[in-house]
C-alpha cells in the first residue's frame, strides 16, 4: 500500500466538541465509518464489537445529556444547543462473544475518527458516560457493555497542537478567541533508550 499524508490526517483528527448542529450527517455515512471499524484489527479476531448509529435529532437530544464533555474545561458544561453533534456512534462489547474487549474499541474508534476527518467531519471519543441512563434511553440489552460514544459532526471550532511548555502542563485549554489548544509532549520526551529513564 502507498499512503500519502497520514501524518496530516492524524494531526487533523482532534477531539472536536463544537459542531454545526444544523448540518446533518447521513446514516449512510455512519455505516461507512463503521465499515472501517469492521476492517480494523481485533484481539484473536473475535470481533466482539457492535454499534448503535444515531443521526436522528430527537434521538441525539436524548443521548446528549448522558455524556460529559471536557474534564479540563471546568467552567464549560459542553456544547450549547446549535453546536451539538449531528450524529453519534455508540460502541458496544457483545459479552456473548467475549467478556474482555482489550483495546478493540480504541482501535475501532480511531479508524472511525480518521475516516470521519477524511470526509470533512470531526468527532470526539467520549468515555465519561452515564451508562445506566444511556442503556435505559436506548433500551440496550444487558448483554452489551457500553464502551465508548463517538460524537460526530461538522467542526465549528479550531484546534491547535503545540508542544508542552516548560511547566510540563498537558491540560488542553481555550484561549480568548475560542481556539482550543492541545499541548503534546515532544518526540524526544516519548522515546527512551533501553535502561534509560
Amino acid at each position: 500500500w502507498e499512503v500519502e499524508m497520514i501524518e496530516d490526517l492524524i494531526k487533523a483528527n482532534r477531539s472536536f466538541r463544537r459542531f454545526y448542529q444544523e448540518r446533518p450527517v447521513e446514516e449512510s455515512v455512519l455505516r461507512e465509518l463503521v465499515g472501517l471499524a469492521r476492517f480494523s484489527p481485533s484481539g484473536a479476531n473475535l470481533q466482539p464489537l457492535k454499534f448503535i448509529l444515531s443521526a436522528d435529532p430527537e434521538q441525539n437530544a436524548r443521548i446528549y445529556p448522558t455524556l460529559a464533555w471536557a474534564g479540563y474545561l471546568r467552567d464549560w458544561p459542553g456544547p450549547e444547543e446549535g453546536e451539538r453533534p449531528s450524529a453519534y456512534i455508540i460502541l458496544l462489547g457483545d459479552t456473548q462473544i467475549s467478556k474482555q474487549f482489550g483495546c478493540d474499541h480504541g482501535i475501532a474508534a480511531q479508524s472511525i475518527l480518521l475516516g470521519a476527518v477524511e470526509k470533512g467531519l470531526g468527532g470526539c471519543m467520549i468515555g465519561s458516560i452515564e451508562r445506566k441512563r444511556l442503556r435505559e434511553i436506548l433500551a440496550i440489552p444487558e448483554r452489551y457493555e457500553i464502551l465508548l460514544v463517538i460524537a460526530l459532526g461538522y467542526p465549528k471550532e479550531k484546534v491547535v497542537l503545540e508542544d508542552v511548555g516548560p511547566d510540563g502542563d498537558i491540560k488542553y485549554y481555550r484561549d480568548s478567541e475560542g481556539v482550543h489548544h492541545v499541548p503534546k509532549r515532544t518526540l524526544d520526551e516519548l522515546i527512551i533508550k533501553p535502561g534509560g529513564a
Side-chain angles (χ1 to χ4, degrees):
W1 283 287
E2 190 173 321
V3 177
E4 293 182 36
M5 313 276 199
I6 187 68
E7 182 178 351
D8 292 335
L9 189 61
I10 290 170
K11 285 180 177 177
N13 177 28
R14 309 295 0 124
S15 290
F16 292 100
R17 295 177 177 88
R18 291 180 293 167
F19 306 91
Y20 291 100
Q21 187 174 343
E22 73 281 0
R23 288 189 66 186
V25 177
E26 300 298 324
E27 187 168 321
S28 60
V29 171
L30 300 181
R31 288 180 62 85
E32 287 177 38
L33 296 175
V34 170
L36 298 176
R38 183 172 81 91
F39 293 126
S40 297
S42 173
N45 201 34
L46 289 176
Q47 305 169 68
L49 301 183
K50 301 291 170 68
F51 306 84
I52 293 175
L53 312 180
S54 181
D56 174 66
E58 288 181 15
Q59 183 165 281
N60 290 348
R62 292 193 302 272
I63 294 170
Y64 173 81
T66 68
L67 308 173
W69 282 87
Y72 290 144
L73 304 179
R74 297 275 181 224
D75 298 329
W76 188 65
E80 61 188 41
E81 187 62 44
E83 294 187 336
R84 294 179 179 165
S86 302
Y88 294 98
I89 297 175
I90 300 163
L91 284 72
L92 307 172
D94 188 338
T95 61
Q96 290 185 3
I97 296 174
S98 178
K99 304 292 185 208
Q100 303 291 322
F101 306 105
C103 57
D104 278 22
H105 50 298
I107 296 168
Q110 179 75 338
S111 296
I112 287 168
L113 287 168
L114 288 171
V117 167
E118 188 181 48
K119 293 177 178 301
L121 297 167
C124 186
M125 194 185 309
I126 301 170
S128 185
I129 305 160
E130 290 182 39
R131 285 172 169 80
K132 184 172 186 270
R133 187 173 171 196
L134 183 60
R135 182 179 300 283
E136 290 168 359
I137 288 168
L138 298 180
I140 300 171
E142 286 296 326
R143 73 181 268 190
Y144 300 112
E145 184 177 328
I146 299 169
L147 302 172
L148 286 173
V149 174
I150 299 176
L152 292 162
Y154 291 92
K156 194 175 188 175
E157 65 183 347
K158 181 177 181 183
V159 178
V160 175
L161 296 177
E162 55 197 32
D163 286 346
V164 170
D167 62 359
D169 191 356
I170 49 83
K171 293 178 182 170
Y172 51 77
Y173 64 95
R174 291 222 175 104
D175 64 23
S176 59
E177 310 270 314
V179 175
H180 193 82
H181 295 260
V182 182
K184 292 290 187 182
R185 299 184 195 281
T186 65
L187 189 58
D188 286 339
E189 187 179 349
L190 299 181
I191 298 172
I192 62 171
K193 295 180 178 162

